[in-house]
Amino acid sequence: MSKLRVAVLGAKGRIGSEAVKAVEAAEDMELVAALGRGDKLETLAETGAQVAVELTTPASVMGNLDFCVRHGIHAVVGTTGWTEDRLAQLRGWLDQSPRTGVLIAPNFSIGAVLTMKFAQLAAPYFESVEVVELHHPNKVDAPSGTATRTAQLIAEARRAAGTAPAPDATVTALDGARGADVDGVPVHAVRLRGLLAHQEVLLGAEGETLTIRHDSLHHSSFMPGILLGARRVVTTPGLTFGLEHFLDLS
Ligand SMILES: NC(=O)C1=CN([C@@H]2O[C@H](COP(=O)(O)OP(=O)(O)OC[C@H]3O[C@@H](n4cnc5c(N)ncnc54)[C@H](OP(=O)(O)O)[C@@H]3O)[C@@H](O)[C@H]2O)C=CC1
Ligand SMILES: O=C(O)C1=N[C@H](C(=O)O)C[C@H](O)C1
């Protein structure tokens, strides 16, 4: 059986360098390109890459995906910075290349995906809910893509259930003291040397609280999700948002 031809973009980065090793170690995959900033995207076409694993920066991801989709190269995207405008632009490109698949995964780790699922399940049953994400201090964006998605899913679940807005009697506050408002859910971002990627969803009701916490302790936690994404995206045309759709958790 022929091997899946995979390229990594952002190959020298924290997660990209781990992805290079994971693809090299996968028996059903061949690493055909490992590109860093300034390397020519044409290499992807020249090497016959079937899937590009995109792990760069919010500033670089759209240009890379434009090239991939125009050349019919499927993509597995971990890079953050997704807005409705960006998603609409990507969907427009995919309409012009209907056989191409793109997976955007706010988080590739199974624990983070389950955290989002559990948070969605619990959200309608508690008066209060807030999200705290904690990351290494080299992270360039805040709040994290995972926390943003978690808050959106919580808000959707509460809207669908008709849950009242969380109580909050704050009248005066320093800027930022109550976190960022993501779809009505406060999201707090901590940046701390020694950490990698962590998240807590705090839920509160009269007389009880529930805390859902996930910790990624090493970039290896993201690798099974990346490999699964590469295997599945080649037969899943169009845009898939969230690894849960490839885990049958949706
Ligand atoms: N979905 C998930 O599960 C995960 C997502 N992430 C996300 O992945 C992204 C990368 O994170 P991280 O590895 O920590 O960041 P790093 O800064 O360590 O890595 C990014 C790499 O991409 C390179 N790069 C920038 N532009 C391009 C380009 N146009 N083509 C090729 N390479 C490029 C950078 O080069 P240079 O240093 O020269 O700028 C750098 O080597 C972030 O958005 C992060 O949030 C991270 C972990 C898990
Ligand atoms: O930058 C990181 O490190 C991470 N980024 C992703 C995010 O923003 O959610 C995933 C994970 O949290 C690690």
Side-chain angles (χ1 to χ4, degrees):
M1 209 178 69
S2 63
K3 294 190 177 192
L4 188 61
R5 298 171 68 77
V6 179
V8 176
L9 306 182
K12 293 185 181 143
R14 279 177 289 272
I15 184 169
S17 53
E18 195 72 24
V20 164
K21 288 189 271 176
V23 170
E24 281 176 328
E27 287 184 355
D28 58 338
M29 294 183 192
E30 182 186 355
L31 181 74
V32 296
L35 304 187
R37 186 188 288 280
D39 290 341
K40 289 197 169 60
L41 286 173
E42 286 68 26
T43 309
L44 299 177
E46 287 160 13
T47 57
Q50 293 167 281
V51 181
V53 178
E54 219 291 350
L55 301 165
T56 63
T57 67
S60 296
V61 63
M62 293 306 278
N64 288 341
L65 289 181
D66 183 16
F67 180 93
C68 288
V69 174
R70 272 192 289 112
H71 288 80
I73 300 167
H74 309 284
V76 170
V77 183
T79 305
T80 45
W82 290 98
T83 60
E84 281 308 318
D85 283 354
R86 283 183 165 214
L87 290 171
Q89 194 172 7
L90 176 57
R91 283 196 188 93
W93 296 339
L94 284 165
D95 287 345
Q96 304 302 312
S97 182
R99 279 188 290 202
T100 307
V102 173
L103 166 69
I104 298 173
N107 201 302
F108 288 112
S109 87
I110 182 69
V113 173
L114 288 172
T115 298
M116 288 186 250
K117 203 74 197 166
F118 297 155
Q120 235 180 319
L121 184 65
Y125 298 101
F126 290 81
E127 267 184 273
S128 303
V129 56
E130 307 215 359
V131 177
V132 184
E133 57 95 331
L134 310 91
H135 280 82
H136 59 89
N138 301 101
K139 184 166 177 57
V140 296
D141 55 318
S144 70
T146 307
T148 302
R149 186 64 185 147
T150 304
Q152 289 166 345
L153 292 170
I154 288 169
E156 273 172 30
R158 287 167 76 88
R159 266 196 300 272
T163 312
D168 180 353
T170 307
V171 177
T172 60
L174 283 181
D175 276 357
R178 295 289 294 119
D181 178 336
V182 179
D183 217 350
V185 178
V187 179
H188 311 268
V190 176
R191 296 291 174 265
L192 206 69
R193 185 69 69 203
L195 296 183
L196 178 57
H198 316 258
Q199 177 163 287
E200 285 190 359
V201 181
L202 309 171
L203 300 123
E206 196 61 45
E208 63 175 323
T209 65
L210 170 66
T211 301
I212 306 167
R213 180 173 172 114
H214 174 255
D215 299 276
S216 265
L217 305 172
H218 191 274
H219 279 98
S220 55
S221 60
F222 306 115
M223 297 306 127
I226 288 179
L227 298 182
L228 172 70
R231 290 180 185 117
R232 292 285 302 270
V233 77
V234 291
T235 54
T236 314
L239 176 61
T240 303
F241 196 91
L243 189 67
E244 62 273 21
H245 298 288
F246 288 175
L247 293 165
D248 299 324
L249 295 173
S250 50

